[in-house]
Amino acid sequence: MREFAGKVTAITGAGSGIGRALAYELARHGARLALSDIDEEAVRETAAVALGHGASETAASRVDVADRHAVQAWADETAGSFGTVNLVVNNAGVALTASVEEMDWDDFEWLMGVNFWGVAYGTKAFLPHLRRARDAHIVNISSVFGLMGIPTQSAYCAAKYAVRGFTESLRHEMRISGTGVRVTTVHPGGIRTNIARSARAAKGREVAALADEFDKVARTSPERAARVIVRGVKRNRSRIFVGPDATLIDVGQRLLGVGIEPLVRTFSGRSDLGTETPATAPRTPGAVR
Ligand SMILES: NC(=O)c1ccc[n+]([C@@H]2O[C@H](COP(=O)([O-])OP(=O)(O)OC[C@H]3O[C@@H](n4cnc5c(N)ncnc54)[C@H](O)[C@@H]3O)[C@@H](O)[C@H]2O)c1
């Protein structure tokens, strides 16, 4: 996609962080925006501000991406009212800090519902519409936690690895079948958004304290992340790494293989989990990438 002016772009989780910044960045390029979020007020605000940034048309909808029927209805409604869909960004996501042993099934399923199923539902719902468009691109947001395992992040890592596998397979399929639909996976490092403050944590772990730790290590602004993603889409990159930490992790992972694991444990604060004493639980810096 060489330019975004007039292109119909659907973004999930557009009420905050990367999704909101992407909406503003694409608005500046003159895109037509179909925005959704589970937080209706927040997404309406994004849509109103995006108009001021130059979006030629906006629509804001309350959509829970973990609800397959709601995502399907939104995709069909978007294609119907805008006439086509060119770019889809499956961005909505949540975070959870809990060791495998501590993790509640409800929290585990909540995270997978948003971070994995939300991406799968968005992809499958929009794909038939994208296939009909002349210029079409799908962008799924994974993470650097889709590149390596992290203590207390098993659910998040599982979802982000799943997004990566799902998206890479789709990219092959789109190329093999010659559809012209382009497919990109995004692996952000630490981005200064609300994700850690809206996160869940296992009993005994303090969300506010974890969010403070996250704020110290999340160096990249959502605006910068949006610019990097938009540039990567323009260049039709298969994978986009956002932030110097993401590039470092990608290179470190490829050079060291499992040799990176002692480093991960060191940077996570401790080499064991100590689940009986949550007060001394690992710091997991950047526990929500
Ligand atoms: N912030 C980071 O450091 C970081 C790093 C790597 C990947 N990511 C990923 O980037 C994406 C965006 O996260 P962010 O950092 O901008 O977080 P954020 O919390 O600022 O924004 C996430 C948005 O998703 C929405 N959302 C939550 N549950 C939803 C649901 N069920 N249905 C629809 N919308 C829902 C929230 O209301 C919010 O507006 C996520 O997929 C996240 O996993 C973030």
Side-chain angles (χ1 to χ4, degrees):
M1 194 165 292
R2 297 253 164 251
E3 52 142 79
F4 300 96
K7 298 286 163 57
V8 178
T9 302
I11 306 173
T12 67
S16 172
I18 299 172
R20 175 172 271 183
L22 264 175
Y24 296 163
E25 182 62 22
L26 289 162
R28 279 189 276 277
H29 286 78
R32 301 163 69 201
L33 300 173
L35 308 174
S36 74
D37 200 287
I38 198 166
D39 182 340
E40 187 166 6
E41 204 182 315
V43 73
R44 281 188 188 286
E45 190 186 319
T46 304
V49 175
L51 278 176
H53 282 303
S56 47
E57 192 181 348
T58 62
S61 313
R62 185 197 178 275
V63 178
D64 175 356
V65 295
D67 177 341
R68 177 156 52 94
H69 300 291
V71 174
Q72 185 67 59
W74 176 57
D76 295 343
E77 188 188 301
T78 299
S81 60
F82 283 84
T84 185
V85 184
N86 301 103
L87 174 62
V88 175
V89 186
N90 288 303
N91 161 78
V94 290
L96 166 65
T97 294
S99 71
V100 171
E101 288 174 296
E102 292 168 334
M103 194 159 45
D104 217 62
W105 284 113
D106 284 347
D107 288 344
F108 196 174
E109 286 171 7
W110 166 73
L111 185 134
M112 294 304 285
V114 180
N115 291 14
F116 175 63
W117 286 112
V119 171
Y121 296 155
T123 299
K124 276 180 71 66
F126 277 102
L127 210 45
H129 304 299
L130 289 169
R131 268 177 164 273
R132 282 193 284 275
R134 279 188 50 233
D135 201 4
H137 203 126
I138 187 150
V139 176
N140 288 340
I141 309 289
S142 174
S143 167
V144 288
F145 285 11
L147 303 174
M148 62 180 181
I150 300 288
T152 75
Q153 294 299 307
S154 57
Y156 192 86
C157 290
K160 294 302 185 179
Y161 268 80
V163 166
R164 175 181 162 197
F166 177 80
T167 309
E168 289 180 4
S169 301
L170 175 70
R171 184 156 54 244
H172 287 303
E173 291 168 8
M174 292 296 103
R175 291 215 180 134
I176 290 166
S177 56
T179 58
V181 179
R182 297 179 172 100
V183 182
T184 293
T185 325
V186 179
H187 298 276
I191 316 294
R192 279 191 309 277
T193 68
N194 294 323
I195 194 165
R197 304 224 168 255
S198 337
R200 291 188 188 180
K203 209 166 159 234
R205 294 183 187 269
E206 290 259 342
V207 169
L210 291 164
D212 288 344
E213 285 295 327
F214 172 75
D215 289 345
K216 285 183 202 150
V217 294
R219 295 294 167 103
T220 305
S221 70
E223 292 75 25
R224 166 98 190 124
R227 285 195 297 275
V228 171
I229 294 167
V230 166
R231 193 178 60 212
V233 170
K234 253 187 170 176
R235 294 177 181 172
N236 189 24
R237 294 280 188 250
S238 297
R239 297 167 103 190
I240 299 172
F241 295 93
V242 184
D245 49 351
T247 306
L248 195 68
I249 287 166
D250 175 46
V251 172
Q253 170 72 30
R254 281 191 278 145
L255 289 177
L256 299 174
V258 288
I260 203 168
E261 290 188 358
L263 282 175
V264 170
R265 286 193 284 276
T266 302
F267 280 105
S268 298
R270 285 181 46 162
S271 56
D272 65 321
L273 279 179
T275 47
E276 298 87 346
T277 52
T280 58
R283 284 183 289 108
T284 354
V288 266
R289 288 181 210 156

